[in-house]
Amino acid sequence: MTASSGGPDRAGGAEARTEPAPPRRRDAARSRELLVQAALELFAERGYDRTTTREIGERAGVDPALIARYFGGKTQLYLATVRLELGNETPADLLEEERLRTLLVRLTQRGPGPPFQSAVLPGDNTEVQQASRTYLYERVVDPLRERFTAERVDRPQLRAELAAAAFAGVVLARSSGAFSELAAADPEELLPLLHGLLAASRPS
């Protein structure tokens, strides 16, 4: 007769000591969603230039290195947040007063960001620069060109680019503080003056 050791059976003990499952890794889609949401909040609070990728990662609870992996960098993440916020519909053009007001208020609060900065940067061919300019054309230039084409005005593309350049210049000048009264003007005070400036690109 074999004597009992008095301890737990080895097989039974192994079953009793089941190791806890390792925590499930966060999937890529969820990480992207958290990064976009955190970036949306921080860009709204601090503007593009004053927000760092580290801060975005910390708020999202995600390694900030994933910003480069999933989006390509801070600029592309910024563009992703703007697209999410505005949706995929073609926006109204800048001569529509409400569209102009919305853009002016948003850019006053957050700063011009990469799309409008790209309007005055040297014309290099980097992926980031191209993405910013593509966005600028899609959201600002193209709607104006379509309006001018429908109105059968002369050289609609040139007129659309002229108006977009004027708007970008005003936005960037307000952000830089180079013109003190322009920088201090309330968006509602500036709105009719800016609308008149942009409307000058269209023949009466």
Side-chain angles (χ1 to χ4, degrees):
M1 181 176 182
T2 305
S4 169
S5 64
D9 176 76
R10 181 167 297 182
E15 292 175 359
R17 292 193 300 273
T18 302
E19 294 294 330
R24 187 176 63 180
R25 294 177 62 188
R26 180 177 288 142
D27 62 83
R30 178 59 176 158
S31 294
R32 288 173 62 94
E33 180 184 333
L34 290 169
L35 286 168
V36 169
Q37 185 57 44
L40 191 63
E41 294 169 2
L42 285 166
F43 290 144
E45 292 169 12
R46 305 179 191 178
Y48 174 81
D49 290 329
R50 293 189 297 275
T51 298
T52 68
T53 55
R54 180 181 294 276
E55 290 168 333
I56 295 169
E58 287 175 352
R59 180 166 294 195
V62 172
D63 183 353
L66 293 178
I67 292 173
R69 178 185 298 178
Y70 295 148
F71 300 94
K74 179 178 157 186
T75 295
Q76 293 94 323
L77 176 56
Y78 177 87
L79 295 175
T81 66
V82 176
R83 290 184 186 281
L84 176 66
E85 199 171 26
L86 299 181
N88 295 320
E89 294 183 6
T90 301
D93 62 71
L94 291 179
L95 294 181
E96 293 289 342
E97 188 171 303
E98 193 53 41
R99 165 68 169 161
L100 185 60
R101 174 184 284 107
T102 299
L103 261 184
L104 191 57
V105 169
R106 180 183 293 113
L107 295 171
T108 297
Q109 294 171 342
R110 305 183 187 182
F116 290 96
Q117 292 169 356
S118 75
V120 295
L121 293 174
D124 59 37
N125 251 348
T126 65
E127 182 180 348
V128 169
Q129 186 85 325
Q130 288 302 313
S132 296
R133 287 185 174 170
T134 295
Y135 177 86
L136 184 63
Y137 266 80
E138 288 177 352
R139 309 301 296 194
V140 179
V141 177
D142 290 349
L144 280 169
R145 175 184 51 77
E146 290 172 9
R147 170 193 277 261
F148 295 153
T149 299
E151 293 176 348
R152 299 182 180 277
V153 303
D154 181 52
R155 305 197 65 182
Q157 182 70 31
L158 175 61
R159 293 179 185 278
E161 291 183 5
L162 181 64
F167 179 72
V170 169
V171 167
L172 290 164
R174 276 169 62 79
S175 176
S176 72
F179 303 93
S180 57
E181 193 159 348
L182 177 62
D186 183 86
E188 287 298 327
E189 177 186 8
L190 191 59
L191 183 64
L193 301 174
L194 184 54
H195 188 274
L197 175 66
L198 298 179
S201 64
R202 178 180 59 175
S204 56

